[in-house]
Amino acid sequence: MPRLNSAADLQKLRQEILARSNGNRVVSVTNGTDGRTRGSQGVIQAFTEEIEKQGLKGKVDVKSTGCHGFCEKEPIALILPEGICYVGVEAEDVPEIVSQTLVNGKTVERLLYEDPSTGQKITKESEIPFYKHQSQIVLGNNRRIDMESINDYIALGGYGALAKALSGMTPEQVVGEVKKANLRGRGGGGFPAGTKWETTRDAPDDVKYVIVNADEGDPGAYMDRSLLEGNPHSVLEGLIIGAYAIGAHQGFIYVRAEYPLAVENLYVALEQARDYGLLGTNILNSGFDFDVKVHRGAGAFVSGESSALMTAIEGKVGEPRPKYIRTAVKGVWDRPSNLNNVETWATVPLIIGKGADWFKGIGTEGSKGTKIFSLVGKVNNTGLVEVPMGTTLREVIFDIGGGIPDGKKFKAVQTGGPSGGVIPEKFLDLPIDFDELSKVGSMMGSGGMIVMDEDTCMVDTARYFLNFLADESCGKCVPCREGIRQMLDILTRITEGKGEKADIELLEDVAMMVKNFALCALGTSAPNPVLSTLQYFRDEYLAHIEEKRCPAYVCKPLVSYYIDPAKCQACMLCLRNCPVEAISGGKNQIHVIDQEKCTKCNTCFEVCPPRFNAVRRLSGEPVPPPVKDRTLVRGKS
Ligand SMILES: Cc1cc2nc3c(=O)[nH]c(=O)nc-3n(C[C@H](O)[C@H](O)[C@H](O)COP(=O)(O)O)c2cc1C
């Protein structure tokens, strides 16, 4: 690879790459972690072989790309430039795609996305509702870049922002542009990146560090992984620009070891950047030196917290420390250290390349740009969703997510990861931004969005998140270690039907104590799931405590299953499907559930035909005694 010595060299290389690609068509196959679990490697191999076999070699390029967002439909094969999108592709489908679409220009109907609400097949990716309402300015290039190709990144203008900064902007101007853009950190707190950069820049020390936080510990969140796997150079370019602005010559990427493909692609990207002279000494002949080390984290949630992460980089146990002096001033080895999230860094080249004014044109007054969410839970379309700040929850959940499956009712959405809050239906039209989410008792966090339907118990939901946080508390400070455990004990008691009225007040007291006195934000934010469910779903707590009833039929100790003798038609379905043989009965005998044996797995309720509707779930009421005469009289209802 030739070393690039100037912005002009970079531009020349770009022209050469574009000329070499010769306007070829592209088959972009999602081959990130999600795709690989569903056979995407085989799909790519099949495309490569079939394209050669059918005489298209040199005319069609196959790209192994990161996630495009609609992960649940992977492997996806996107044909560019037309934008034809095939979902759930298997290696066996490839010969037909090549002959029909690439050779004959026809679509393969059966592999197109089918809109479940209309039954209509949709050819173009941009017309699929999941994508149609998104604005993928950060994630979007994943589909155009082979995950191991720096040239693909450069062809799209990659490293142009770095060249612009190094050749035409002072470090202060770069900081000024990021401040003007009002870029707020995408990893949790939403702190203004430019202000943090300036603090580190102004800190009196010759040695400074810049760090990428790729710990991504929130369960269900994987936007950072998808960026690192699919477009690692965007993160790297942002980091180099930041290092130049701040005056750092050493960077770290702290990435969890459970992301092997992201780590692998990062190493490839670093090597390529070094070969082109985009890392190392005298980058683009600017006199600026900078290089990066990858630090693999051992996967503790708390290690994502800034001081814990920096302690881990020093080679110690990743536990938080008091931040009387901020890490931006005294971080790794007590040197000024600027930490930003993966998505924050990946946004920087866009701001420098297109300008702060362009960026400020997207989003709300207080939150500019877009945010990537991982939309999961009880929603029809799950995946990564990038929307402008200010998009409403309703647009994300219903227009993009396609609403709630099985005709069920929306109940709530939990945003901000395990320590975020639960937001009820009345706030569906809330514009999503940092401040609006805080106002309703939740937070942006790193972008987790878990949708819940009517079958979700809110007390159990709070218990679930507190259980995670109790496990992940490092135990260093008493309020967090003991307080979360206490809240968990109370919640468990309530879900087991052993709650008392005073428990609600006790929960609130402990929650406020943890919120006010924990050492780090793991503790101070841990009460959010409890406080928000208490705020919006207090009646469910009361039902559990006062009536020993779980309205959603989730808390097993409070739920029983019973077969209504007046409705049972002895069809044997529940009996045959019961995994623990708790149901007795015969072809002409009313079925009965043995309450001692029943594990409350819900199978009998699910398999009982709706026309009989004989299996009932009971909560807060006793199970009637079995009928004495179990002989079935057919036809009754
Ligand atoms: C318990 C805990 C875990 C965190 N985990 C992450 C994480 O995985 N990724 C991340 O970017 N930020 C995480 N944060 C937030 C970081 O401490 C820090 O605020 C962030 O990396 C700064 O980058 P940003 O300003 O670009 O968001 C975590 C915070 C806490 C308290």
Side-chain angles (χ1 to χ4, degrees), residues 184-193 196 211-218 224 256 300-307 309 323 339-345 419 445-446 469 472 520-525:
R184 296 176 68 174
R186 273 36 180 169
F191 193 80
K196 190 154 66 176
I211 308 164
V212 179
N213 191 341
D215 193 48
E216 196 159 58
D218 291 10
D224 294 348
R256 55 175 42 232
F301 177 63
V302 76
S303 298
E305 190 276 339
S306 57
S307 66
L309 181 147
K323 287 190 278 191
L339 174 73
N340 280 118
N341 166 261
V342 168
E343 192 181 334
T344 315
W345 287 119
S419 42
S446 60
L469 293 165
E472 294 294 336
C520 84
L522 188 153
T524 57
S525 60

Side-chain angles (χ1 to χ4, degrees), residues 465-491:
F465 287 118
L466 268 282
N467 190 35
F468 173 84
L469 293 165
D471 271 355
E472 294 294 336
S473 168
C474 73
K476 188 168 178 174
C477 78
V478 177
C480 178
R481 184 183 69 226
E482 298 301 324
I484 297 181
R485 183 64 53 193
Q486 286 301 320
M487 286 190 283
L488 176 62
D489 284 352
I490 300 169
L491 289 166

Side-chain angles (χ1 to χ4, degrees), residues 18 27 43 61 105-106 122 150 172 195 216 223 251 265 282 328 331 364 463-464 467 502 519 583:
L18 289 172
V27 181
V43 174
D61 298 332
K106 294 182 187 152
I122 302 178
I150 188 172
E172 291 81 359
T195 307
E216 196 159 58
M223 40 263 162
N265 288 356
N282 195 18
T364 62
R463 188 199 57 77
Y464 172 84
N467 190 35
L519 173 64
I583 301 177

Side-chain angles (χ1 to χ4, degrees), residues 145 200 206 385 397 415 538 549 618:
I145 293 174
T200 305
D206 291 340
V385 171
I397 297 165
T415 68
R538 187 173 282 256
R549 180 170 68 86
L618 307 175

